[in-house]
Amino acid sequence: TKLYHEFGGKQELIGLLAEDICERQNRRIEKIKKDADPEKYLLRVTREASVFYTEEPWSAGILAIVRFGGENIPMSPAFIEAAKRFR
């Protein structure tokens, strides 16, 4: 009940967690130096994402809930930015 009192509900808590996950992931990817060779850059980004999800495996589930869960959780700006990076 303390969580619901502090955050107002499950949707808000999940949205805040997703925002934090995406912000941290975006910061890690921003540190990767762009290479003239797009293949090398893509490999670095993929590796960094793999390391991130290995260190924090629960985060993939949170992002899946936001993206596919149908819980009416709005996508945060950081989530939208992360999605653009991986397109």
Side-chain angles (χ1 to χ4, degrees):
T1 59
K2 179 75 173 163
L3 287 174
Y4 283 103
H5 177 72
E6 293 294 323
F7 296 102
K10 181 173 77 171
Q11 287 84 2
E12 184 179 343
L13 178 58
I14 290 171
L16 289 171
L17 286 170
E19 178 74 6
D20 178 64
I21 292 164
C22 291
E23 286 176 354
R24 288 183 294 116
Q25 190 177 40
N26 287 340
R27 281 194 302 270
R28 289 175 80 152
I29 291 172
E30 287 171 357
K31 291 179 183 178
I32 298 172
K33 194 172 189 178
K34 289 220 175 182
D35 197 300
D37 182 353
E39 186 176 340
K40 286 181 182 178
Y41 177 72
L42 180 60
L43 288 172
R44 288 184 192 130
V45 169
T46 302
R47 182 183 181 287
E48 191 61 39
S50 296
V51 169
F52 181 83
Y53 288 114
T54 299
E55 293 172 355
E56 302 185 38
W58 57 270
S59 60
I62 296 292
L63 297 179
I65 289 170
V66 172
R67 181 66 178 98
F68 305 110
E71 304 247 353
N72 294 327
I73 301 169
M75 287 191 212
S76 67
F79 189 101
I80 294 167
E81 181 63 28
K84 286 179 189 176
R85 289 175 188 272
F86 286 100
R87 283 191 194 154

